């Protein structure tokens, strides 16, 4: 028998029992290492006290990741949308077409969340009487209006924002948009864009010694109307434009 055959014959194959014993010892060692070192260092879990003794828990505290912020609630999301800046003016911008076709004009309109409302009212102001009509509007909402009177009325167009500037909370704060208390007018027509969410409208005053009839027509994006007359505040409901009758069944007049 040669040397190579003798060496091969002396190699002993481990038994199944020895393999199981070695595997068990390795498993126990792994568990001990996990409990004594890994858990304290990675997660701050220290059941045996070895992490504290070896200052392994300090590693866990140092590597701890910040908690993921909770998903915002529906109320928080709505508040964020409410606080987000909104478009309050139209600023058309001409963008040429790269292909030479018709150019695009951006920022030509302000989208609204609800259909527009319509309202038409008539008042008779006694000598020396004043009154207010205001519209509850969101920031960026539009109001097209016309008012006429059979005699001169003095007026101010102003607004009261829901969120007042710092230091003005709890005060009778308002912002004036148009004031005519010197000569007065018998009519006014225009389009108004609300610069803030709140109530916006007119105060009229009859400084003459005779009654004055005022007619007001408005169409726009407002939720309700506030009337202040004789120190009495009354909320008024506007007309739904879709509830108005359709176009009269008569031929249109041809304009020349």
């Amino acid at each position: 028998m040669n040397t190579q055959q003798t060496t091969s014959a002396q190699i002993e194959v481990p038994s199944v029992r020895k393999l199981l014993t070695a595997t068990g010892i390795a498993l126990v060692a792994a568990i001990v290492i996990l409990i004594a070192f890994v858990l304290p260092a990675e997660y701050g879990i220290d059941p045996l006290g070895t992490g504290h003794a070896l200052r392994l828990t300090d590693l866990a505290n140092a590597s701890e990741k910040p908690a993921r912020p909770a998903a915002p609630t529906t109320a928080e999301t709505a508040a964020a949308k409410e606080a987000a800046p909104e478009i309050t003016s139209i600023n058309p911008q001409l963008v040429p077409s790269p292909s030479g076709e018709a150019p695009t004009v951006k920022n030509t309109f302000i989208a609204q969340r609800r259909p527009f409302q319509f309202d038409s009212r008539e008042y008779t102001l006694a000598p020396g009487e004043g009154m207010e009509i205001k519209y509850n509007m969101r920031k960026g909402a539009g109001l097209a209006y016309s008012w006429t009177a059979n005699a001169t009325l003095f007026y101010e167009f102003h607004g009261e924002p829901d969120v007042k500037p710092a230091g003005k909370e709890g005060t009778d704060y308002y912002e004036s948009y148009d004031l005519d208390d010197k000569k007065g007018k018998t009519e006014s027509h225009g389009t108004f864009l609300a610069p803030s969410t709140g109530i916006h409208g007119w105060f009229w005053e009859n400084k003459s010694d005779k009654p004055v009839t005022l007619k007001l027509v408005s169409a726009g994006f407002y939720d309700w109307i506030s009337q202040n007359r004789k120190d009495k505040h009354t909320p008024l409901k506007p007309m739904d434009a879709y509830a108005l009758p359709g176009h009269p069944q008569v031929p249109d007049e041809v304009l020349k």
Side-chain angles (χ1 to χ4, degrees):
M1 183 179 297
N2 55 29
T3 306
Q4 184 178 359
Q5 291 176 341
T6 303
T7 305
S8 301
Q10 292 176 350
I11 296 176
E12 183 180 356
V13 179
S15 64
V16 175
R17 181 177 180 181
K18 290 183 178 181
L19 290 175
L20 293 177
T21 302
T23 302
I25 294 173
L27 181 60
V28 171
I31 294 175
V32 171
I33 294 173
L34 174 66
I35 297 175
F37 303 102
V38 177
L39 291 180
E42 293 292 334
Y43 305 101
I45 301 174
D46 190 20
L48 301 179
T50 55
H52 179 71
L54 300 177
R55 303 182 64 87
L56 297 176
T57 53
D58 294 342
L59 296 176
N61 295 332
S63 61
E64 182 178 356
K65 297 180 180 180
R68 183 177 181 180
T73 63
T74 303
E76 291 172 342
T77 302
K81 290 182 179 180
E82 185 72 19
E86 300 176 24
I87 300 174
T88 58
S89 62
I90 294 176
N91 183 25
Q93 296 180 357
L94 183 66
V95 181
S97 171
S99 60
E101 298 178 352
T104 300
V105 182
K106 296 184 177 181
N107 301 328
T108 57
F109 71 95
I110 302 175
Q112 302 295 334
R113 61 192 179 99
R114 293 182 179 177
F116 76 91
Q117 305 281 5
F118 174 80
D119 195 67
S120 178
R121 300 185 183 275
E122 181 174 325
Y123 300 93
T124 299
L125 276 64
E129 182 184 1
M131 68 167 294
E132 282 185 321
I133 286 289
K134 293 181 180 177
Y135 302 88
N136 180 60
M137 305 172 65
R138 292 175 63 88
K139 184 178 180 180
L143 174 72
Y145 66 87
S146 287
W147 65 261
T148 59
N150 64 349
T152 300
L153 288 176
F154 299 86
Y155 72 92
E156 180 181 28
F157 190 69
H158 59 281
E160 300 178 31
D162 288 348
V163 180
K164 300 179 181 180
K168 298 296 183 180
E169 299 87 350
T171 66
D172 187 20
Y173 174 85
Y174 67 93
E175 298 168 344
S176 182
Y177 307 138
D178 185 20
L179 174 64
D180 190 341
D181 59 353
K182 303 299 181 183
K183 296 182 180 180
K185 290 183 178 180
T186 58
E187 62 181 295
S188 179
H189 320 279
T191 302
F192 169 73
L193 290 176
S196 61
T197 298
I199 55 175
H200 311 270
W202 294 271
F203 169 78
W204 294 278
E205 185 177 6
N206 177 15
K207 295 184 178 181
S208 71
D209 57 355
K210 296 180 180 180
V212 176
T213 299
L214 167 68
K215 295 182 179 180
L216 171 64
V217 178
S218 68
F221 300 95
Y222 46 85
D223 296 326
W224 47 268
I225 304 170
S226 174
Q227 174 183 293
N228 181 11
R229 190 175 188 186
K230 298 179 180 180
D231 295 327
K232 182 180 180 181
H233 294 265
T234 306
L236 307 176
K237 183 178 180 180
M239 297 175 61
D240 182 356
Y242 287 95
L244 297 174
H247 192 282
Q249 299 299 315
V250 295
D252 288 327
E253 180 181 356
V254 178
L255 299 178
K256 297 181 180 180

